Amino acid sequence: MKKKIVILPGDGIGKEVTACGKKVLEQVAECFGHQFSFDYATIGHEAIEATGTPLPDASLEKMKNCDAVLFGAVGHPKYDNDPSAKVRPEQGLLKMRKELGLYANLRPIKLFDELLGASSIKPEILKGADILFFRELTGDVYFGERGRKDEGKTAYDTMIYSRYEVERIAHKAFKAALTRGKKVTSVDKANVLESSRLWREVVQDVARQYPDVEVEHMFVDAAAMKLIQNPRGFDVVVTGNLFGDILTDEASQIAGSMGMLASASIGDTVGLYEPIHGSAHDITGKGIANPLASILSAALLLDISFGLKEESETVIKAVEKTLREGYRTRDIADATTAHEKILGTEVMGNVVCNNARMLVNCQVAV
Ligand code: IPM
Ligand code: MG
């Protein structure tokens, strides 16, 4: 198979982790006889510094003309405490989602058994949890009208959804549920918000077309509580952009660490794959970031964009094997981890690559 992949490292640890994700893709291509070609594009703070805009047209063009995108992260501490900044790295990410029509963000929350001890939640509550989030990604308060009035003393952001936006993500969630636990939990705040009442109405309509799937509606505050109280009670969760942003960070604790969570953003055209963690400037350049979320994002890319199930499974199994062998990056190590088993970003990535090669009897690189 011949495919063109754009690597979009972005800011902070984005560069370090996408380098590992790319390496894994290269190994897979070599072992399975595919031809993947790679190109790079800029986004975020780095792009602002170079061109004055967080998403240059040239980057967008490259993405529109490739088969899949592997993305790192955007963000820079310089903007976090400067509410007056008009140009921000995150705008690049939002523009990219909108322009590429990436309306469905899939965030699988699955705990590797080896990491039961890494979470702050009790292992007996976590064991067996397996949740697939569908976060709507191109609507809601993220894209509604916003501004200031009263000479800047009042600010507003509009939470807004249209029927078709809810319909298309609901269909994706119900279809996925049919291949899993056959249950969809739709999360909203319909007891207060009009946009949530429309959300619920549409999900109820869509649900009628999937009689084999059990549907449950939950308010976002209750969902936040139940995720921690009984994560095994969830199968597929579908929710809006803002609620999904918050709940998936919370749910990352079910997977042990933010450093483990991959995500796929899909729509009608090219798919984009990224860790859910951010640019993490506090550890940038230290070589200690966990590359597994980027590597697992590469696995999602192989599966969803290229339909390469065996290749994708190989990557996941290689990650499992690496963890079983006791290797950890710092964020997922605990008191029982031997010092020599705590690896930096690049070495961790190399161990996964070698394990992937071993699993398919491909000659192991030195
Ligand atoms: C995410 C991030 C982004 C979001 C930020 C960086 C704009 O938190 O992808 O979850 O809020 O969507
Ligand atoms: Mg987020």
Side-chain angles (χ1 to χ4, degrees), residues 253-268:
Q253 280 310 296
I254 298 167
S257 159
M258 282 273 272
M260 295 299 300
L261 281 198
S263 87
S265 300
I266 54 172
D268 299 318

Side-chain angles (χ1 to χ4, degrees), residues 22 56 61 63 70 95 100 102 163 189-190 224 249 257 263 366:
K22 174 176 179 256
E61 268 317 295
M63 287 186 267
L70 186 70
K95 183 172 169 202
L100 297 178
L102 303 169
R163 180 164 261 275
K189 187 71 188 171
D249 263 31
S257 159
S263 87
V366 257

Side-chain angles (χ1 to χ4, degrees), residues 96-115:
M96 174 172 76
R97 288 172 178 169
K98 198 71 172 178
E99 293 266 338
L100 297 178
L102 303 169
Y103 64 84
N105 186 213
L106 279 67
R107 297 189 163 183
I109 313 281
K110 199 170 173 180
L111 180 70
F112 288 93
D113 276 349
E114 290 76 13
L115 294 183

Side-chain angles (χ1 to χ4, degrees), residues 310-329:
E310 194 190 338
E311 287 82 339
S312 173
E313 264 305 301
T314 302
V315 174
I316 296 169
K317 285 202 182 109
V319 169
E320 246 158 26
K321 182 164 160 20
T322 305
L323 294 172
R324 212 175 316 120
E325 288 164 352
Y327 294 111
R328 302 284 186 271
T329 43

Side-chain angles (χ1 to χ4, degrees), residues 107 135 142 245-246 248-249 276:
R107 297 189 163 183
R135 168 191 176 196
Y142 273 61
D245 178 45
I246 300 167
T248 51
D249 263 31
I276 88 154

Side-chain angles (χ1 to χ4, degrees), residues 33-71:
H34 301 300
Q35 280 171 280
F36 295 164
S37 63
F38 297 91
D39 196 0
Y40 283 85
T42 58
I43 189 171
H45 170 68
E46 189 193 58
I48 297 176
E49 295 289 292
T51 66
T53 129
L55 184 65
D57 288 345
S59 296
L60 210 47
E61 268 317 295
K62 282 185 183 178
M63 287 186 267
K64 283 183 178 164
N65 291 299
C66 75
D67 299 303
V69 181
L70 186 70
F71 169 53

